[in-house]
C-alpha cells in the first residue's frame, strides 16, 4: 500500500484545516441569525474569518487539534497492523509540519511526547466489512469541548429543570441541561452527539460516534428525529450564544442514538463538540492505499468563503491598550468593553500556573497580560513561528489565578469561557480584568502576533511553555471587570431562568 501514509497525511491535514460543508453551512446560518452589532455577532464574524484563514493558509483551524479519533473499516484480508502503523506515521509527519499541535502528554509525568503518539494515542477503532475499499473517518475534538461532555444516570435532579425521569421527557431535560452547563467553555455554538442507554463506557463511545453524522441529516427513527428537532429549537432559545456572550445561536447540531440498556441502568451520554467541528473521511483503494473518494465533502466543489470582510469588524468604540498596563487603565474598563491590546503578552496555562505556585516567574509579570493559550509553534532556523494561537479554557486555572494576580501583579488575563468567584474577587481586590478572546480563532490570533521574543520553561512542552510575544490589536471582550461584574455569571443566571421556563413548557 504505497500511497497509504500519504493519503492519511492528506486526511489529517484537511481535517485540521478545512471544515466540512455541513459545518460551514451551519455556521453561515449562525452568522445570519445572530443580532448584528452584538458581542456574539462579533465573535461569529471572527470565527468566520478564522475558518477562511485556516483554509487559505492550510493552518490549523484551532490550536487545540484534539485527540485524533480514527474509525477504520477494512475488507477481509487487509492487514490492520499496517494501517495502524501508517496512521501513526502520518500523525508524526503532520505534527512535524505544524498541522497538529503536539497534544499527547504522559499522564503520570506530564511530559509531552512531541509527536502526538503515546499509550492509547491516537484512538483507533477497527472494524471489518464486506466492502472492497478501506474507509477511514477522523474526528479531531479538542479538550475544551471534551471537558464539557456529560453523562446522566436517570432518574436525576437537574439544576433549574427538576427531576428527569426514565423517559423521553427526562432525556429532553438532560440535553437542555447539557447545552446549558457547557456555557461558553466548549466554544459555543456547539453540537451534541447523544446516546440514550448502553453502559457508561460504551454510551460515551456511541455518543461520540453520532458526531460522524452530518449536521443536516434526519434521524431515521421518527421519535428521535422529533427529539433532535425539539432540542435544536429549545436550546437555541436558552440564550447562551457564541462564546457564552449571550445570543441567539447556542447549538448547531443535535444527533441522538438509542442503544439497549440493562434494566437497572438508564444513562444519557452526551459528547459536546465545539463550532470547530473537524470531521472528515476517505475511501481508500485496498491494494494501494490511494484515495478513491472523500467523505463529507466534494474536493472538486469550490470552498465558499465564510466571512464577508476579513478581520475584526470594528465599531469605533474599541479601546486600544498598550501593555504593560497600569492599575488605573484596567480599573477604567467595564464588562462589555471591547479592547485591542498591543505590546507584550505572555502565554501561560496549566503547567505554568502550577509552576508559579512554587517558583517565581522567569519574567517580571507586573502590569503584564497573561494569555491562557497553548499555541502551535514551529522552529525555522533560530526563529519560532506562531502557527495557531487561540485561547484555552480559563476555568482550569481557577484554583491558581487569584494567587498569580496577588503575587505577581498581572493586570489582564486573556482566555475563554470565563472564571469563577475567587478570581472575580481577586480582580477587584488587586485591580485586574479578565478578557474573553474568541475560542478556536487560532489563525486570526496567530496573525495578531508580530514577534516571538523568547520562550521560557520550554521543558514543559511547546503548548505549556511560557511564550513571550509581541501582539498588535489583539481583540477581546472584557467579561469580568475590577468592579465585581461578570458577564459569565450574568449569562449563566439568565439562561438558568430560561431553563426554568422550558421546564414548565
Ligand atoms: S474551538 Fe474551543 S473547544 Fe474547540 S478545540 Fe478549539 S479551543 Fe477547544
Amino acid at each position: 500500500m504505497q500511497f497509504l501514509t500519504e493519503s492519511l497525511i492528506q486526511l489529517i491535514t484537511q481535517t485540521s484545516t478545512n471544515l466540512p460543508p455541513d459545518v460551514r453551512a451551519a455556521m453561515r446560518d449562525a452568522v445570519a441569525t445572530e443580532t448584528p452589532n452584538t458581542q456574539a455577532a462579533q465573535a461569529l464574524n471572527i470565527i468566520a474569518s478564522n475558518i477562511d484563514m485556516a483554509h487559505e493558509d492550510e493552518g490549523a483551524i484551532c490550536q487545540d487539534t484534539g485527540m485524533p479519533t480514527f474509525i477504520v473499516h477494512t475488507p477481509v484480508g487487509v492487514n490492520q497492523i499496517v494501517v495502524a502503523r501508517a496512521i501513526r506515521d502520518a500523525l508524526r509527519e503532520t505534527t512535524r509540519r505544524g498541522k497538529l499541535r503536539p497534544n499527547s502528554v504522559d499522564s503520570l509525568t506530564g511530559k509531552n511526547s512531541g509527536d502526538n503518539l503515546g499509550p492509547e494515542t491516537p484512538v483507533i477503532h477497527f472494524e471489518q466489512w464486506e466492502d472492497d475499499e478501506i474507509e477511514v473517518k477522523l474526528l479531531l475534538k479538542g479538550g475544551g469541548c471534551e471537558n464539557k461532555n456529560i453523562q446522566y444516570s436517570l432518574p436525576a435532579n437537574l439544576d433549574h429543570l427538576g427531576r428527569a425521569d426514565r423517559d423521553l421527557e427526562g432525556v429532553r431535560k438532560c440535553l437542555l441541561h447539557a447545552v446549558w452547563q457547557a456555557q461558553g467553555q466548549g466554544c459555543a455554538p456547539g453540537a451534541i452527539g447523544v446516546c440514550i442507554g448502553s453502559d457508561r463506557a460504551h454510551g460515551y463511545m456511541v455518543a461520540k460516534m453520532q458526531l460522524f453524522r452530518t449536521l443536516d441529516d434526519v434521524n431515521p427513527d421518527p421519535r428521535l428525529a422529533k427529539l433532535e428537532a425539539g432540542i435544536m429549537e429549545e436550546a437555541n432559545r436558552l440564550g447562551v450564544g457564541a462564546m457564552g456572550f449571550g445570543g441567539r445561536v447556542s447549538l448547531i447540531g443535535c444527533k441522538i442514538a438509542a442503544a439497549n440498556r440493562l434494566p437497572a441502568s438508564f444513562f444519557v451520554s452526551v459528547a459536546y463538540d465545539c463550532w470547530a467541528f473537524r470531521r472528515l473521511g476517505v475511501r481508500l483503494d485496498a491494494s494501494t492505499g490511494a484515495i478513491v473518494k472523500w467523505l463529507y465533502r466534494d474536493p472538486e466543489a469550490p470552498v465558499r468563503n465564510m466571512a464577508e470582510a476579513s478581520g475584526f469588524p470594528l465599531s469605533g468604540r474599541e479601546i486600544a491598550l498598550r501593555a504593560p498596563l497600569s492599575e488605573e487603565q484596567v480599573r477604567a474598563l467595564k464588562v462589555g468593553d471591547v479592547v485591542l491590546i498591543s505590546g507584550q503578552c505572555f502565554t501561560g496555562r496549566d503547567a505554568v500556573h502550577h509552576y508559579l505556585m512554587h517558583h517565581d516567574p522567569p519574567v517580571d509579570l507586573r502590569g503584564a497580560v497573561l494569555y491562557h493559550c497553548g499555541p502551535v509553534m514551529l522552529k525555522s532556523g533560530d526563529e519560532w513561528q506562531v502557527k495557531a494561537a487561540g485561547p484555552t479554557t480559563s476555568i482550569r486555572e481557577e484554583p491558581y489565578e487569584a494567587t498569580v494576580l496577588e503575587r505577581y501583579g498581572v493586570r489582564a488575563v486573556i482566555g475563554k469561557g470565563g472564571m469563577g468567584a475567587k478570581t472575580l474577587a481577586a480582580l477587584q481586590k488587586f485591580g485586574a480584568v479578565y478578557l474573553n478572546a474568541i475560542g478556536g480563532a487560532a489563525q486570526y490570533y496567530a496573525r495578531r502576533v508580530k514577534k516571538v521574543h523568547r520562550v521560557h520553561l520550554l521543558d514543559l512542552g511547546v503548548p505549556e511553555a511560557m511564550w513571550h510575544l509581541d501582539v498588535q490589536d489583539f481583540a477581546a471582550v472584557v467579561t469580568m471587570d475590577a468592579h465585581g461584574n461578570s458577564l459569565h455569571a450574568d449569562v449563566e443566571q439568565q439562561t438558568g431562568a430560561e431553563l426554568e421556563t422550558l421546564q414548565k413548557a
Side-chain angles (χ1 to χ4, degrees):
M1 288 206 276
Q2 68 271 38
F3 301 120
L4 180 58
T5 305
E6 182 52 36
S7 298
L8 293 165
I9 288 171
Q10 282 189 49
L11 171 64
I12 297 166
T13 302
Q14 285 297 308
T15 309
S16 178
T17 63
N18 188 2
L19 281 186
D22 61 307
V23 180
R24 286 168 170 272
M27 289 305 293
R28 213 171 268 124
D29 285 351
V31 172
T33 303
E34 195 46 86
T35 311
N37 300 320
T38 57
Q39 286 136 356
Q42 281 187 317
L44 287 167
N45 280 323
I46 288 186
I47 288 171
S49 291
N50 185 74
I51 294 169
D52 293 341
M53 290 171 184
H55 175 243
E56 281 158 24
D57 286 359
E58 212 180 62
I61 294 162
C62 176
Q63 77 289 338
D64 186 349
T65 52
M67 173 65 85
T69 302
F70 293 86
I71 310 295
V72 186
H73 285 86
T74 56
V76 176
V78 165
N79 187 337
Q80 295 181 346
I81 297 170
V82 169
V83 177
R85 192 179 299 133
I87 286 174
R88 285 195 287 272
D89 288 346
L91 274 174
R92 195 180 290 111
E93 178 58 18
T94 43
T95 307
R96 194 189 65 76
R97 294 182 191 182
K99 308 301 177 189
L100 297 179
R101 183 174 74 182
N103 242 6
S104 177
V105 169
D106 183 308
S107 289
L108 302 185
T109 65
K111 189 167 167 38
N112 194 313
S113 69
D115 58 6
N116 272 308
L117 303 177
E120 301 299 328
T121 312
V123 176
I124 309 176
H125 296 278
F126 277 109
E127 213 168 297
Q128 271 192 344
W129 66 359
E130 292 186 332
D131 206 290
D132 292 337
E133 291 168 351
I134 300 171
E135 182 183 89
V136 186
K137 291 181 177 176
L138 170 61
L139 183 71
L140 298 174
K141 182 171 179 301
C145 52
E146 185 68 13
N147 291 350
K148 299 318 292 185
N149 291 356
I150 190 165
Q151 191 170 60
Y152 303 88
S153 175
L154 300 187
N157 271 310
L158 305 176
D159 296 337
H160 303 291
L161 288 159
R163 198 181 67 238
D165 294 316
R166 292 182 158 195
D167 53 21
L168 280 186
E169 175 56 18
V171 174
R172 168 186 163 270
K173 286 186 178 180
C174 293
L175 302 188
L176 291 174
H177 184 270
V179 176
W180 175 76
Q181 59 89 41
Q183 291 288 312
Q185 292 172 15
C187 292
I192 51 174
V194 179
C195 175
I196 306 170
S198 193
D199 65 8
R200 281 199 187 273
H202 194 61
Y204 262 136
M205 178 63 202
V206 174
K208 196 171 255 189
M209 291 298 290
Q210 302 318 299
L211 300 174
F212 285 99
R213 287 171 52 193
T214 56
L215 294 178
D216 52 2
D217 75 358
V218 177
N219 199 309
D221 183 326
R223 297 163 301 177
L224 297 180
K226 188 169 168 217
L227 184 59
E228 289 176 357
I231 294 294
M232 287 298 293
E233 205 264 314
E234 290 190 302
N236 282 317
R237 276 173 26 207
L238 282 180
V240 172
M243 291 301 122
F245 288 165
R248 292 183 177 167
V249 190
S250 306
L251 196 65
I252 56 171
C254 173
K255 303 290 154 188
I256 307 173
N260 278 17
R261 59 183 171 83
L262 298 172
S265 306
F266 196 123
F267 297 112
V268 178
S269 309
V270 182
Y272 185 97
D273 208 345
C274 52
W275 67 261
F277 190 137
R278 290 151 291 175
R279 171 247 296 130
L280 275 179
V282 281
R283 298 284 292 246
L284 304 173
D285 183 301
S287 54
T288 66
I291 295 174
V292 177
K293 182 181 161 199
W294 283 85
L295 306 176
Y296 302 111
R297 73 182 181 95
D298 175 2
E300 303 303 321
V303 174
R304 268 180 65 199
N305 264 11
M306 296 282 300
E308 283 174 10
S310 70
F312 184 72
L314 293 175
S315 69
R317 294 188 300 275
E318 292 77 17
I319 299 167
L321 294 170
R322 174 159 286 278
L325 304 172
S326 69
E327 179 172 355
E328 192 187 3
Q329 278 177 305
V330 298
R331 286 211 185 266
L333 297 171
K334 54 187 189 315
V335 161
D337 287 343
V338 177
V339 296
L340 299 173
I341 302 263
S342 298
Q344 50 181 346
C345 165
F346 300 92
T347 68
R349 48 181 245 162
D350 308 66
V352 162
H353 281 76
H354 187 257
Y355 179 90
L356 292 178
M357 294 303 101
H358 308 284
H359 308 87
D360 286 337
V363 292
D364 183 356
L365 288 176
R366 278 173 297 174
V369 174
L370 180 63
Y371 184 20
H372 294 168
C373 171
V376 180
M377 308 290 286
L378 275 191
K379 200 165 190 184
S380 161
D382 289 338
E383 299 274 311
W384 285 98
Q385 291 172 346
V386 185
K387 304 306 283 184
T392 193
T393 311
S394 299
I395 196 71
R396 297 196 307 273
E397 316 316 338
E398 180 65 10
Y400 315 111
E401 207 68 88
T403 308
V404 169
L405 293 168
E406 179 178 7
R407 268 194 210 161
Y408 305 119
V410 168
R411 291 278 172 223
V413 174
I414 307 179
K416 65 148 169 116
M419 302 193 71
K422 195 172 155 202
T423 300
L424 186 61
L427 295 174
Q428 191 167 14
K429 186 166 177 192
F430 305 113
V433 284
Y434 177 82
L435 307 173
N436 205 116
I438 310 308
Q443 292 303 315
Y444 172 77
Y445 285 118
R447 292 180 191 202
R448 308 267 46 91
V449 177
K450 296 302 158 196
K451 187 170 170 54
V452 181
H453 284 294
R454 275 194 73 179
V455 57
H456 305 275
L457 307 175
L458 189 54
D459 52 332
L460 298 176
V462 166
E464 298 289 342
M466 182 179 254
W467 295 91
H468 179 178
L469 310 172
D470 212 29
V471 299
Q472 188 174 350
D473 294 336
F474 186 108
V477 180
V478 179
T479 53
M480 295 167 69
D481 64 22
H483 311 288
N485 303 308
S486 165
L487 177 71
H488 308 283
D490 292 349
V491 171
E492 189 172 324
Q493 198 178 31
Q494 285 155 15
T495 53
E498 189 60 37
L499 263 188
E500 282 168 28
T501 67
L502 292 174
Q503 187 244 341
K504 290 173 197 134

